[in-house]
Amino acid sequence: MKSPDTQPVRFLSSWAGKANPFIEASWKNVLMGKAPISELNTMADKINKVISEAK
């Protein structure tokens, strides 16, 4: 998880703007070893909530 290269992940769906802040807050920290991997589950839960509300 401590990759020297990190690439951004972007969603293109209508809910992307609302999901992106969760990615920015969690993904990079996990990749850099600053947050536990379990943070990805929390991030996924938040993104799934945004997706379900967009339906």
Side-chain angles (χ1 to χ4, degrees):
M1 299 304 296
K2 294 181 181 180
S3 174
D5 297 324
T6 58
Q7 298 296 319
V9 175
R10 300 288 184 250
F11 295 102
L12 301 175
S13 300
S14 60
W15 45 263
K18 293 180 180 177
N20 195 51
F22 301 126
I23 297 166
E24 291 295 323
S26 301
W27 186 250
K28 290 180 184 178
N29 286 335
V30 171
L31 288 179
M32 294 187 299
K34 294 180 180 179
I37 293 174
S38 61
E39 181 66 25
L40 295 178
N41 291 329
T42 302
M43 178 187 76
D45 291 341
K46 291 177 180 178
I47 293 171
N48 286 332
K49 182 178 179 186
V50 167
I51 292 169
S52 68
E53 290 173 354
K55 291 181 180 181

